Amino acid sequence: MSNGSKLTINAKGATVDCNEYGLINVPASVKSAEIVIDGGTFNAELDHGAFIKLRSGADNVKITLNNVNYVEKSTNFCYITNTAGFTGNLDLVVNGGSYTGDFGFQLNGNAKATFDGVSFNTNGYGLYTQGQNTKVEVKNCNFIVGTKVDGDLGYIRCVVMNEGCRPAIRLKLDYFFCQNKTTHTAHIYIEKCCIRAVFGKPFKSGGAG
């Protein structure tokens, strides 16, 4: 992907098989870019990789995923968005669709993310961020997560806000359902964050803890 480009993938009604490196790589040279994926079923079998990888040095990336069905077959610590080392600005909008696999969305950097009507079924966490000034809104979403952990993140959780989030992170949850595959309880893990959590209408099930 090149600097200043816009990539639009209309995959409605299509099935796409991704190779072990994922679908999209955003290199360090990109300082402004937009990615839009409309529909489609994406089958992936990644090797410790990501469906969309944002490299360290990249910045001002906007990603919109509309009604995407993502199926990850590998269990080798794979992510939908991998932002390890990424410190730039990210605007992520996920409308509808389902995401099944190892881990969910990683949101490092200065991320603003909205998830509306999305279903998750993952072996590990659904959403995870260590970004500065991160803003995440979750609305009408269903999370089903397993007990798998990555590194020292030894917690069963649907949404994780880790200590690197300081100084300001905002999390809004509205009609949010989360359960663990084994215990059937909801988990939201927040560690050492200066957080303003705005809860909309009550959880469908479980609670925060």
Side-chain angles (χ1 to χ4, degrees), residues 42 44 143 152 179:
F42 294 83
F143 290 79
D152 61 351
Q179 74 175 37

Side-chain angles (χ1 to χ4, degrees), residues 153-169:
L153 301 176
Y155 297 87
I156 302 167
R157 63 263 178 214
C158 297
V159 180
V160 179
M161 304 294 170
N162 212 356
E163 60 182 329
C165 299
R166 292 191 298 258
I169 179 171

Side-chain angles (χ1 to χ4, degrees), residues 35-52:
I35 299 166
V36 179
I37 302 178
D38 287 320
T41 296
F42 294 83
N43 295 318
E45 192 163 358
L46 309 180
D47 184 12
H48 209 123
F51 183 53
I52 301 174

Side-chain angles (χ1 to χ4, degrees), residues 122-125 144-148 155-157 179-181:
T122 56
N123 297 324
Y125 57 76
I144 298 177
V145 298
T147 58
K148 188 171 183 177
Y155 297 87
I156 302 167
R157 63 263 178 214
Q179 74 175 37
N180 177 254
K181 294 179 180 180

Side-chain angles (χ1 to χ4, degrees), residues 156-201:
I156 302 167
R157 63 263 178 214
C158 297
V159 180
V160 179
M161 304 294 170
N162 212 356
E163 60 182 329
C165 299
R166 292 191 298 258
I169 179 171
R170 296 176 178 85
L171 171 65
K172 181 177 180 181
L173 304 175
D174 193 3
Y175 279 115
F176 171 84
F177 175 83
C178 174
Q179 74 175 37
N180 177 254
K181 294 179 180 180
T182 303
T183 63
H184 305 293
T185 57
H187 296 265
I188 301 171
Y189 176 65
I190 301 171
E191 179 184 56
K192 299 179 183 177
C193 288
C194 300
I195 184 168
R196 289 189 286 173
V198 182
F199 296 90
K201 298 180 181 179

